[in-house]
Amino acid sequence: MMLKIEAVAAPQSRPLDREDIQSHPLFAEIERQIALHLIAIHDRTPRLSRLKASHRKWLMTHSLFALSLQRRDDDPLSGLTATRFVDTVMRLAAASRNTATAYLAELVAYKFLRDVPDVPDRRVRVLETTEAAYDAMLSWFNGHLACLDRLDGGTRQQRSLADGRIFRLAQPMIAERLSEDPLWRDPPDSIGNFLWSDYGGMVLHDLITRIEHYDPQAETTEIAPLALSTLSDKYMLSTTNLKRMFKKSEDDGLIGWEQPRRRGHMWFSRSFLHDYFQWQSAKFAAVDAAFHEASSRLDDNRWTAAPGASG
């Protein structure tokens, strides 16, 4: 389905806040736009997507990426180390110490992280993101900027593409803002059973792309018939895991199908989509605030040293 292009207001000089974003008449459309964008990233790098598929892994991935980008050339021991990463994960209560350590090792094994060469203290292992991981996160950032531009006619994405320093400054700010935001860090129960499951976030993105007409006042929103086997095949998930993912929401009357045995059109309740869109608005607001702060620092020459980031 082609998204219709509508007139938008003149660019704003301030970042959009959550209310600006969630109440905007185009918000449901940009939600579909970002979902398609993130699915495209998954299609290009499915292994990387699997390593950040749950919300817990999302928190860990953005945290380690921020640490990597904060490495400074004048401090060879700065940046991403196992100790700093595990400390961050424990502070967020995102995972256990062993899980965090194993996750870091997995990213190294899959060549999404690598050792920084010539570290003067051999007792310290400093890591950095590889080009594949860097490009995927940069695409994530610019995809969100493109969506925000649709809301107010801004030129965020254009500026970011022209100056890579914006991303390198903004991403750590985004990670910090969202890790400290109770709404983002602890999603509502209505969507939490998806988000805390491996690949549940991608499943939600897929569901959102199937919404063709959205009325925030309607009690339910329907999409075309959808078999769980379709999602299972696309994301290489077992139908057992998918059924477990959907069951609580079905039992709570948040989602369902018009006929028994998950047949006919699928529907989402108003509260389910409200909670999801409200949660997503926190992310978009954090991205916009970070973009504006990074741009302001660069305009004011307040970035004194470039991090030693890959890419």
PDB file of all heavy atoms in Angstrom, residues 9-24:
ATOM      1  N   ALA A   9       3.393  21.061   8.251  1.00  0.00           N
ATOM      2  CA  ALA A   9       3.685  22.420   8.706  1.00  0.00           C
ATOM      3  C   ALA A   9       5.129  22.784   8.421  1.00  0.00           C
ATOM      4  O   ALA A   9       5.955  21.953   8.076  1.00  0.00           O
ATOM      5  CB  ALA A   9       3.402  22.517  10.211  1.00  0.00           C
ATOM      6  N   ALA A  10       5.440  24.045   8.579  1.00  0.00           N
ATOM      7  CA  ALA A  10       6.817  24.507   8.394  1.00  0.00           C
ATOM      8  C   ALA A  10       7.716  23.878   9.441  1.00  0.00           C
ATOM      9  O   ALA A  10       7.263  23.487  10.516  1.00  0.00           O
ATOM     10  CB  ALA A  10       6.860  26.028   8.520  1.00  0.00           C
ATOM     11  N   PRO A  11       8.999  23.750   9.143  1.00  0.00           N
ATOM     12  CA  PRO A  11       9.933  23.131  10.090  1.00  0.00           C
ATOM     13  C   PRO A  11       9.909  23.832  11.437  1.00  0.00           C
ATOM     14  O   PRO A  11       9.779  25.043  11.519  1.00  0.00           O
ATOM     15  CB  PRO A  11      11.288  23.289   9.396  1.00  0.00           C
ATOM     16  CG  PRO A  11      10.969  23.458   7.953  1.00  0.00           C
ATOM     17  CD  PRO A  11       9.663  24.169   7.912  1.00  0.00           C
ATOM     18  N   GLN A  12      10.051  23.043  12.497  1.00  0.00           N
ATOM     19  CA  GLN A  12      10.068  23.601  13.840  1.00  0.00           C
ATOM     20  C   GLN A  12      11.502  23.769  14.314  1.00  0.00           C
ATOM     21  O   GLN A  12      12.378  22.997  13.963  1.00  0.00           O
ATOM     22  CB  GLN A  12       9.313  22.685  14.801  1.00  0.00           C
ATOM     23  CG  GLN A  12       7.825  22.569  14.470  1.00  0.00           C
ATOM     24  CD  GLN A  12       7.064  21.862  15.580  1.00  0.00           C
ATOM     25  OE1 GLN A  12       7.585  21.645  16.663  1.00  0.00           O
ATOM     26  NE2 GLN A  12       5.823  21.529  15.315  1.00  0.00           N
ATOM     27  N   SER A  13      11.729  24.803  15.128  1.00  0.00           N
ATOM     28  CA  SER A  13      13.067  25.046  15.656  1.00  0.00           C
ATOM     29  C   SER A  13      13.298  24.291  16.955  1.00  0.00           C
ATOM     30  O   SER A  13      14.404  24.287  17.478  1.00  0.00           O
ATOM     31  CB  SER A  13      13.264  26.547  15.901  1.00  0.00           C
ATOM     32  OG  SER A  13      12.302  27.029  16.814  1.00  0.00           O
ATOM     33  N   ARG A  14      12.280  23.675  17.511  1.00  0.00           N
ATOM     34  CA  ARG A  14      12.416  22.914  18.753  1.00  0.00           C
ATOM     35  C   ARG A  14      12.091  21.451  18.485  1.00  0.00           C
ATOM     36  O   ARG A  14      11.376  21.122  17.542  1.00  0.00           O
ATOM     37  CB  ARG A  14      11.451  23.451  19.816  1.00  0.00           C
ATOM     38  CG  ARG A  14       9.977  23.253  19.450  1.00  0.00           C
ATOM     39  CD  ARG A  14       9.050  23.590  20.598  1.00  0.00           C
ATOM     40  NE  ARG A  14       7.651  23.387  20.246  1.00  0.00           N
ATOM     41  CZ  ARG A  14       7.017  22.221  20.323  1.00  0.00           C
ATOM     42  NH1 ARG A  14       7.670  21.146  20.722  1.00  0.00           N
ATOM     43  NH2 ARG A  14       5.740  22.124  19.998  1.00  0.00           N
ATOM     44  N   PRO A  15      12.594  20.560  19.321  1.00  0.00           N
ATOM     45  CA  PRO A  15      12.240  19.151  19.142  1.00  0.00           C
ATOM     46  C   PRO A  15      10.772  18.911  19.467  1.00  0.00           C
ATOM     47  O   PRO A  15      10.187  19.589  20.321  1.00  0.00           O
ATOM     48  CB  PRO A  15      13.164  18.432  20.132  1.00  0.00           C
ATOM     49  CG  PRO A  15      13.578  19.461  21.121  1.00  0.00           C
ATOM     50  CD  PRO A  15      13.586  20.767  20.390  1.00  0.00           C
ATOM     51  N   LEU A  16      10.194  17.950  18.799  1.00  0.00           N
ATOM     52  CA  LEU A  16       8.814  17.563  19.070  1.00  0.00           C
ATOM     53  C   LEU A  16       8.775  16.758  20.366  1.00  0.00           C
ATOM     54  O   LEU A  16       9.646  15.920  20.605  1.00  0.00           O
ATOM     55  CB  LEU A  16       8.263  16.724  17.924  1.00  0.00           C
ATOM     56  CG  LEU A  16       8.228  17.393  16.544  1.00  0.00           C
ATOM     57  CD1 LEU A  16       7.907  16.363  15.459  1.00  0.00           C
ATOM     58  CD2 LEU A  16       7.208  18.520  16.521  1.00  0.00           C
ATOM     59  N   ASP A  17       7.751  16.998  21.196  1.00  0.00           N
ATOM     60  CA  ASP A  17       7.633  16.192  22.407  1.00  0.00           C
ATOM     61  C   ASP A  17       6.667  15.040  22.154  1.00  0.00           C
ATOM     62  O   ASP A  17       6.119  14.891  21.064  1.00  0.00           O
ATOM     63  CB  ASP A  17       7.212  17.041  23.608  1.00  0.00           C
ATOM     64  CG  ASP A  17       5.850  17.709  23.428  1.00  0.00           C
ATOM     65  OD1 ASP A  17       4.994  17.180  22.668  1.00  0.00           O
ATOM     66  OD2 ASP A  17       5.621  18.761  24.057  1.00  0.00           O
ATOM     67  N   ARG A  18       6.470  14.223  23.163  1.00  0.00           N
ATOM     68  CA  ARG A  18       5.650  13.017  22.972  1.00  0.00           C
ATOM     69  C   ARG A  18       4.237  13.349  22.538  1.00  0.00           C
ATOM     70  O   ARG A  18       3.665  12.660  21.686  1.00  0.00           O
ATOM     71  CB  ARG A  18       5.615  12.210  24.276  1.00  0.00           C
ATOM     72  CG  ARG A  18       6.959  11.692  24.708  1.00  0.00           C
ATOM     73  CD  ARG A  18       6.828  10.874  25.977  1.00  0.00           C
ATOM     74  NE  ARG A  18       8.135  10.635  26.555  1.00  0.00           N
ATOM     75  CZ  ARG A  18       8.360   9.872  27.611  1.00  0.00           C
ATOM     76  NH1 ARG A  18       7.355   9.278  28.214  1.00  0.00           N
ATOM     77  NH2 ARG A  18       9.572   9.706  28.086  1.00  0.00           N
ATOM     78  N   GLU A  19       3.662  14.375  23.162  1.00  0.00           N
ATOM     79  CA  GLU A  19       2.286  14.736  22.819  1.00  0.00           C
ATOM     80  C   GLU A  19       2.212  15.229  21.381  1.00  0.00           C
ATOM     81  O   GLU A  19       1.282  14.887  20.649  1.00  0.00           O
ATOM     82  CB  GLU A  19       1.778  15.811  23.783  1.00  0.00           C
ATOM     83  CG  GLU A  19       0.346  16.262  23.513  1.00  0.00           C
ATOM     84  CD  GLU A  19      -0.662  15.122  23.564  1.00  0.00           C
ATOM     85  OE1 GLU A  19      -0.451  14.166  24.330  1.00  0.00           O
ATOM     86  OE2 GLU A  19      -1.666  15.201  22.824  1.00  0.00           O
ATOM     87  N   ASP A  20       3.187  16.062  20.966  1.00  0.00           N
ATOM     88  CA  ASP A  20       3.230  16.511  19.573  1.00  0.00           C
ATOM     89  C   ASP A  20       3.209  15.313  18.625  1.00  0.00           C
ATOM     90  O   ASP A  20       2.524  15.319  17.605  1.00  0.00           O
ATOM     91  CB  ASP A  20       4.519  17.297  19.290  1.00  0.00           C
ATOM     92  CG  ASP A  20       4.603  18.610  20.040  1.00  0.00           C
ATOM     93  OD1 ASP A  20       3.553  19.216  20.292  1.00  0.00           O
ATOM     94  OD2 ASP A  20       5.733  19.032  20.371  1.00  0.00           O
ATOM     95  N   ILE A  21       4.009  14.328  18.965  1.00  0.00           N
ATOM     96  CA  ILE A  21       4.206  13.183  18.071  1.00  0.00           C
ATOM     97  C   ILE A  21       2.987  12.266  18.070  1.00  0.00           C
ATOM     98  O   ILE A  21       2.435  11.950  17.009  1.00  0.00           O
ATOM     99  CB  ILE A  21       5.474  12.411  18.492  1.00  0.00           C
ATOM    100  CG1 ILE A  21       6.710  13.286  18.250  1.00  0.00           C
ATOM    101  CG2 ILE A  21       5.593  11.094  17.729  1.00  0.00           C
ATOM    102  CD1 ILE A  21       7.972  12.771  18.903  1.00  0.00           C
ATOM    103  N   GLN A  22       2.541  11.851  19.251  1.00  0.00           N
ATOM    104  CA  GLN A  22       1.456  10.874  19.304  1.00  0.00           C
ATOM    105  C   GLN A  22       0.138  11.445  18.801  1.00  0.00           C
ATOM    106  O   GLN A  22      -0.683  10.717  18.232  1.00  0.00           O
ATOM    107  CB  GLN A  22       1.287  10.331  20.721  1.00  0.00           C
ATOM    108  CG  GLN A  22       0.317   9.146  20.769  1.00  0.00           C
ATOM    109  CD  GLN A  22       0.235   8.518  22.135  1.00  0.00           C
ATOM    110  OE1 GLN A  22       0.803   9.023  23.105  1.00  0.00           O
ATOM    111  NE2 GLN A  22      -0.470   7.407  22.243  1.00  0.00           N
ATOM    112  N   SER A  23      -0.083  12.740  18.994  1.00  0.00           N
ATOM    113  CA  SER A  23      -1.348  13.340  18.566  1.00  0.00           C
ATOM    114  C   SER A  23      -1.337  13.788  17.109  1.00  0.00           C
ATOM    115  O   SER A  23      -2.364  14.209  16.584  1.00  0.00           O
ATOM    116  CB  SER A  23      -1.684  14.539  19.462  1.00  0.00           C
ATOM    117  OG  SER A  23      -0.712  15.572  19.320  1.00  0.00           O
ATOM    118  N   HIS A  24      -0.194  13.707  16.459  1.00  0.00           N
ATOM    119  CA  HIS A  24      -0.089  14.166  15.079  1.00  0.00           C
ATOM    120  C   HIS A  24      -0.910  13.255  14.167  1.00  0.00           C
ATOM    121  O   HIS A  24      -0.873  12.029  14.297  1.00  0.00           O
ATOM    122  CB  HIS A  24       1.369  14.170  14.630  1.00  0.00           C
ATOM    123  CG  HIS A  24       1.622  14.995  13.407  1.00  0.00           C
ATOM    124  ND1 HIS A  24       1.193  14.608  12.141  1.00  0.00           N
ATOM    125  CD2 HIS A  24       2.246  16.190  13.236  1.00  0.00           C
ATOM    126  CE1 HIS A  24       1.553  15.514  11.264  1.00  0.00           C
ATOM    127  NE2 HIS A  24       2.180  16.497  11.902  1.00  0.00           N
TER     128      HIS A  24
END
